[in-house]
Amino acid sequence: MNNLLKRTVSGVVFAAIMLFAFLSDKILIRWLDPQTTQLCSKLIFGATFLFALVVMMKEFLRMTCGKEYRYSQILSIVAGATLFTLVFLYKAFDIPGRMVILAFIPVFVLMINSLYVKDKTRFDKFANLYTAILYIAVPWSLLNFAVFNPFTGAYNGILLLCFFCIIWGSDVGAYVFGLSLGQKYGGKLFPSVSPKKSWIGFWGGMLVAIGVTLALYFTNLLPLRAGSYDLLHCIAIAVLIDIAGVYGDLIESQWKRHYDVKDSGTIIPGHGGLLDRFDSALIAIPVAIIYLVAIDSLFC
C-alpha cells in the first residue's frame, strides 16, 4: 500500500508539472498580459525541458560510465545543454540560426579533454559521452520545433502535449493488452531485449494510439495548418509515433539490460528515472516532427 501511494503521488506530481509546462500560456493568461504570458511560458518550457535533459544525460552517463571520467561526464552534459539552449533561443527568441553551431565548441572541448585523461584502462567507456549527446540531447532539442511558431516564435505547447498523449496511450494499450492476452497468446516482440513485450501488446498499443489520435483530430486539438492535414495523415502520425515509441523503449531496455540496471534513476519515486519516462519520446517525437515538416504541416 505504501508503494502504491508513493507511485500515485509521484505520478500525479510528475503529470502536474508536465501539464503546467505544456499549458502555461493557457493558464497564465488569466493573470498576465499576453506579452508577459508568452515570455513566462517560453521560459517555463525552456527551464523544464532543459532540466529534464540534464537529468536524463546524468542518468545515462551514471548507468554507462559509473564514477569514471566524472569531469568528462560534466563536459558531455554541458555540450548537450548548450545545444538545447541554443536551439531554444533560436526558435523562441529568434537569435540567428547560425549561432546554433556554437554548440560544437563544448563537443570539441570534450574531444580534446579525452587526450588528457590519465587512466585509459576503460577508455572504451568514453564513447558513451558522445552517445549521450546523440541519443538524448539531439532529439530532445528538436522538441523546440513542436512548440514555437516558425513565423512569430509564439509558444503553444498543445501539439507537443498531443504527441505525449499518443505515446502514453500507446504505452497503456500495450500494457493492458500485453498483460491480459500477450502472456498467453501470440509470440514475444523482442525477447532478447524485453521478454515481457508481446506482439499482442504491440498491436493493442497501436490500436489505442490511433484511437487517441483520432479523438484529438476530431476535437481539433492538433494545431496544424488547415487544409494540409487530413485523416490519412492523422493515422500515419499515430502509427509512426507508436512504432518509433516502441523502438525508443527497446533501445533504452537494451542499455539497461547490458549494464544490468532496473531503472535509469530514482527521481520519480516508484517510477524510476526521467530516462525511463521519456525513452519512447526520444525517438517518437522527432519522427513525428520530421513527418510533419515533410508534408509541410508543422504550424507550431
Side-chain angles (χ1 to χ4, degrees), residues 129-270:
L129 301 172
Y130 304 115
T131 302
I133 299 172
L134 181 63
Y135 172 43
I136 299 173
V138 171
W140 201 248
S141 296
L142 291 181
L143 267 58
N144 288 287
F145 287 84
V147 298
F148 296 113
N149 189 294
F151 308 109
T152 66
Y155 174 80
N156 185 350
I158 293 295
L159 179 61
L160 189 57
L161 175 58
C162 288
F163 287 160
F164 274 103
C165 286
I166 297 169
I167 293 172
W168 294 332
S170 173
D171 288 344
V172 170
Y175 177 78
V176 171
F177 280 87
L179 186 65
S180 59
L181 300 173
Q183 303 305 314
K184 298 179 180 179
Y185 311 103
K188 298 298 182 180
L189 180 63
F190 221 116
S192 63
V193 175
S194 186
K196 292 184 179 180
K197 285 184 171 57
S198 65
W199 278 105
I200 290 179
F202 170 78
W203 291 114
M206 181 173 291
L207 180 65
V208 175
I210 292 174
V212 170
T213 309
L214 290 175
L216 295 171
Y217 172 76
F218 287 114
T219 52
N220 296 316
L221 288 176
L222 287 169
L224 302 170
R225 292 177 184 168
S228 62
Y229 189 68
D230 57 23
L231 197 57
L232 180 62
H233 289 310
C234 175
I235 296 174
I237 287 275
V239 172
L240 286 173
I241 287 180
D242 178 77
I243 294 174
V246 170
Y247 275 118
D249 183 86
L250 289 171
I251 289 169
E252 199 225 358
S253 295
Q254 183 170 249
W255 282 105
K256 291 195 294 186
R257 178 170 289 273
H258 178 75
Y259 287 99
D260 193 25
V261 172
K262 183 179 183 295
D263 296 317
S264 65
T266 58
I267 193 171
I268 309 176

Side-chain angles (χ1 to χ4, degrees), residues 75-102:
L75 286 176
S76 177
I77 294 172
V78 169
T82 300
L83 174 62
F84 178 87
T85 300
L86 289 172
V87 176
F88 166 74
L89 293 174
Y90 164 59
K91 294 298 294 181
F93 297 102
D94 198 30
I95 69 167
R98 62 181 180 273
M99 300 297 288
V100 176
I101 65 174
L102 295 177

